[in-house]
Coordinates of all heavy atoms in Angstrom, one line a residue:
Chain Z
T158 N 8.8 -20.8 -16.2 CA 9.6 -19.8 -16.9 C 8.8 -18.5 -17.2 O 9.2 -17.4 -17.0 CB 10.2 -20.4 -18.2 OG1 11.0 -21.5 -17.8 CG2 11.0 -19.4 -18.9
K174 N 17.2 -18.7 -11.6 CA 16.1 -19.6 -12.0 C 15.8 -20.7 -10.9 O 14.7 -20.9 -10.5 CB 16.5 -20.4 -13.2 CG 15.5 -21.5 -13.7 CD 16.0 -22.1 -15.0 CE 15.4 -21.3 -16.2 NZ 15.1 -22.2 -17.4
R175 N 16.9 -21.3 -10.3 CA 16.6 -22.3 -9.3 C 16.0 -21.8 -8.0 O 15.1 -22.3 -7.4 CB 17.9 -23.1 -9.1 CG 18.2 -24.2 -10.0 CD 19.5 -24.8 -9.8 NE 20.5 -23.9 -10.2 CZ 21.9 -24.2 -10.2 NH1 22.2 -25.4 -10.0 NH2 22.7 -23.4 -10.6
R178 N 12.3 -20.9 -8.6 CA 11.4 -22.1 -8.6 C 11.3 -22.7 -7.2 O 10.2 -23.1 -6.9 CB 11.9 -23.2 -9.5 CG 11.9 -22.7 -11.0 CD 12.9 -23.4 -11.8 NE 12.2 -24.5 -12.6 CZ 11.7 -24.3 -13.8 NH1 11.9 -23.1 -14.5 NH2 11.1 -25.3 -14.5
K179 N 12.4 -22.7 -6.5 CA 12.3 -23.2 -5.1 C 11.3 -22.5 -4.3 O 10.5 -23.1 -3.6 CB 13.7 -23.1 -4.5 CG 13.9 -23.9 -3.3 CD 15.4 -23.7 -2.7 CE 16.3 -22.8 -3.4 NZ 17.5 -22.6 -2.7
K199 N 12.4 -27.2 -28.8 CA 13.1 -27.4 -27.5 C 12.3 -28.2 -26.6 O 11.2 -28.7 -26.9 CB 13.5 -26.0 -26.9 CG 14.0 -25.0 -27.9 CD 15.3 -25.4 -28.5 CE 15.4 -24.9 -29.9 NZ 15.3 -23.4 -29.9
R200 N 12.9 -28.4 -25.4 CA 12.3 -29.3 -24.5 C 10.9 -28.7 -24.0 O 10.9 -27.5 -23.5 CB 13.2 -29.5 -23.3 CG 12.6 -30.3 -22.2 CD 13.6 -30.7 -21.1 NE 12.9 -31.3 -19.9 CZ 13.6 -31.8 -18.9 NH1 15.0 -31.8 -18.9 NH2 12.9 -32.4 -18.0
A202 N 8.0 -27.6 -21.5 CA 7.9 -27.3 -20.1 C 6.7 -27.7 -19.4 O 5.6 -27.6 -20.0 CB 8.1 -25.7 -19.9
R203 N 6.8 -28.1 -18.2 CA 5.6 -28.5 -17.4 C 4.7 -27.3 -17.2 O 5.2 -26.2 -17.0 CB 6.0 -29.1 -16.1 CG 4.9 -29.6 -15.3 CD 5.3 -30.2 -13.9 NE 6.0 -31.4 -14.1 CZ 5.4 -32.6 -14.2 NH1 4.0 -32.7 -14.2 NH2 6.0 -33.7 -14.3
Chain X
dT4 P 26.8 -26.3 -31.7 OP1 27.3 -25.1 -32.4 OP2 27.5 -26.8 -30.5 O5' 25.3 -26.1 -31.4 C5' 24.3 -25.8 -32.4 C4' 23.0 -25.6 -31.8 O4' 22.4 -26.8 -31.3 C3' 23.0 -24.7 -30.5 O3' 22.1 -23.6 -30.6 C2' 22.7 -25.6 -29.4 C1' 21.7 -26.6 -30.1 N1 21.7 -28.0 -29.4 C2 20.5 -28.5 -29.3 O2 19.4 -28.0 -29.7 N3 20.5 -29.8 -28.7 C4 21.6 -30.4 -28.2 O4 21.5 -31.5 -27.7 C5 22.8 -29.8 -28.3 C7 24.1 -30.4 -27.8 C6 22.8 -28.6 -28.9
dT5 P 22.1 -22.3 -29.8 OP1 22.0 -21.2 -30.6 OP2 23.2 -22.5 -28.7 O5' 20.7 -22.5 -28.9 C5' 19.5 -22.7 -29.6 C4' 18.5 -23.4 -28.7 O4' 18.9 -24.7 -28.3 C3' 18.4 -22.6 -27.4 O3' 17.0 -22.1 -27.2 C2' 18.7 -23.6 -26.3 C1' 18.5 -25.0 -27.0 N1 19.3 -26.1 -26.5 C2 18.5 -27.2 -26.2 O2 17.4 -27.3 -26.4 N3 19.3 -28.3 -25.7 C4 20.7 -28.2 -25.6 O4 21.2 -29.3 -25.2 C5 21.4 -27.0 -25.9 C7 22.8 -26.9 -25.6 C6 20.6 -26.0 -26.3
dT6 P 16.7 -21.0 -26.2 OP1 15.7 -20.0 -26.8 OP2 17.9 -20.5 -25.6 O5' 15.9 -21.8 -25.1 C5' 14.7 -22.5 -25.5 C4' 14.4 -23.5 -24.4 O4' 15.4 -24.5 -24.5 C3' 14.3 -23.0 -23.0 O3' 12.9 -23.1 -22.6 C2' 15.3 -23.9 -22.3 C1' 15.4 -25.0 -23.2 N1 16.8 -25.6 -23.0 C2 16.8 -27.0 -22.7 O2 15.8 -27.7 -22.7 N3 18.1 -27.5 -22.6 C4 19.3 -26.8 -22.6 O4 20.4 -27.4 -22.5 C5 19.2 -25.4 -22.9 C7 20.4 -24.5 -23.0 C6 17.9 -24.9 -23.1
dT7 P 12.5 -22.9 -21.0 OP1 11.2 -22.5 -21.0 OP2 13.6 -22.1 -20.4 O5' 12.6 -24.4 -20.4 C5' 11.7 -25.4 -20.9 C4' 12.0 -26.7 -20.1 O4' 13.3 -27.0 -20.3 C3' 11.6 -26.6 -18.6 O3' 10.8 -27.7 -18.3 C2' 13.0 -26.6 -18.0 C1' 13.8 -27.3 -19.0 N1 15.3 -27.0 -19.0 C2 16.2 -28.0 -18.8 O2 15.9 -29.2 -18.6 N3 17.5 -27.6 -18.8 C4 18.0 -26.3 -19.1 O4 19.2 -26.1 -19.2 C5 17.0 -25.3 -19.4 C7 17.3 -24.0 -19.7 C6 15.7 -25.7 -19.3
dA8 P 10.1 -27.6 -16.8 OP1 9.0 -28.5 -16.9 OP2 10.0 -26.2 -16.3 O5' 11.2 -28.3 -16.0 C5' 11.5 -29.7 -16.2 C4' 12.6 -30.2 -15.3 O4' 13.9 -29.5 -15.7 C3' 12.5 -29.7 -13.9 O3' 12.4 -31.0 -13.1 C2' 13.8 -29.0 -13.5 C1' 14.7 -29.3 -14.7 N9 15.6 -28.2 -15.0 C8 15.3 -27.0 -15.4 N7 16.4 -26.2 -15.7 C5 17.4 -27.1 -15.5 C6 18.8 -26.9 -15.7 N6 19.3 -25.7 -16.1 N1 19.6 -27.9 -15.5 C2 19.0 -29.1 -15.1 N3 17.8 -29.4 -14.9 C4 16.9 -28.3 -15.1
dT9 P 11.8 -30.9 -11.6 OP1 10.9 -32.0 -11.4 OP2 11.3 -29.5 -11.4 O5' 13.1 -31.0 -10.8 C5' 14.0 -32.1 -11.2 C4' 15.3 -31.9 -10.6 O4' 16.1 -30.9 -11.3 C3' 15.2 -31.3 -9.1 O3' 16.1 -32.1 -8.3 C2' 15.8 -29.9 -9.2 C1' 16.8 -30.1 -10.4 N1 17.2 -28.9 -11.0 C2 18.6 -28.8 -11.4 O2 19.4 -29.7 -11.3 N3 18.9 -27.6 -12.1 C4 18.1 -26.6 -12.4 O4 18.5 -25.6 -12.9 C5 16.7 -26.7 -11.9 C7 15.7 -25.6 -12.2 C6 16.4 -27.8 -11.3
dG10 P 15.6 -32.5 -6.8 OP1 15.0 -33.8 -6.7 OP2 14.9 -31.3 -6.3 O5' 17.0 -32.6 -6.1 C5' 18.2 -32.1 -6.8 C4' 19.4 -31.9 -5.9 O4' 19.8 -30.6 -6.1 C3' 19.0 -32.0 -4.3 O3' 20.1 -32.7 -3.7 C2' 18.9 -30.6 -3.9 C1' 19.8 -29.8 -4.9 N9 19.4 -28.5 -5.2 C8 18.1 -28.0 -5.4 N7 18.1 -26.7 -5.7 C5 19.4 -26.4 -5.8 C6 20.0 -25.2 -6.2 O6 19.4 -24.1 -6.5 N1 21.4 -25.2 -6.2 C2 22.1 -26.4 -5.9 N2 23.5 -26.2 -5.9 N3 21.6 -27.5 -5.5 C4 20.3 -27.5 -5.5
dT11 P 20.2 -32.8 -2.1 OP1 20.7 -34.1 -1.7 OP2 19.0 -32.2 -1.5 O5' 21.4 -31.8 -1.9 C5' 22.5 -31.8 -2.8 C4' 23.6 -30.8 -2.3 O4' 23.2 -29.5 -2.8 C3' 23.7 -30.7 -0.8 O3' 25.0 -30.6 -0.3 C2' 23.0 -29.3 -0.6 C1' 23.3 -28.5 -1.8 N1 22.4 -27.4 -2.1 C2 23.0 -26.2 -2.5 O2 24.1 -26.0 -2.6 N3 22.0 -25.3 -2.8 C4 20.6 -25.3 -2.7 O4 19.9 -24.4 -3.0 C5 20.1 -26.6 -2.3 C7 18.7 -26.9 -2.1 C6 21.0 -27.6 -2.0
dT12 P 25.4 -30.7 1.2 OP1 26.1 -31.9 1.5 OP2 24.2 -30.4 2.0 O5' 26.4 -29.5 1.3 C5' 27.1 -28.9 0.1 C4' 27.2 -27.4 0.3 O4' 26.0 -26.7 -0.1 C3' 27.4 -27.1 1.8 O3' 28.7 -26.5 2.0 C2' 26.3 -26.1 2.1 C1' 25.9 -25.6 0.7 N1 24.5 -25.1 0.6 C2 24.3 -23.9 0.1 O2 25.2 -23.1 -0.3 N3 23.0 -23.5 0.0 C4 21.9 -24.3 0.4 O4 20.7 -23.8 0.3 C5 22.1 -25.5 1.0 C7 21.1 -26.4 1.4 C6 23.5 -25.9 1.0

Side-chain angles (χ1 to χ4, degrees):
Chain Z
T158 300
K174 177 178 273 208
R175 274 172 293 186
R178 294 162 99 93
K179 199 180 356 176
K199 316 299 153 50
R200 175 173 174 175
R203 182 180 289 278

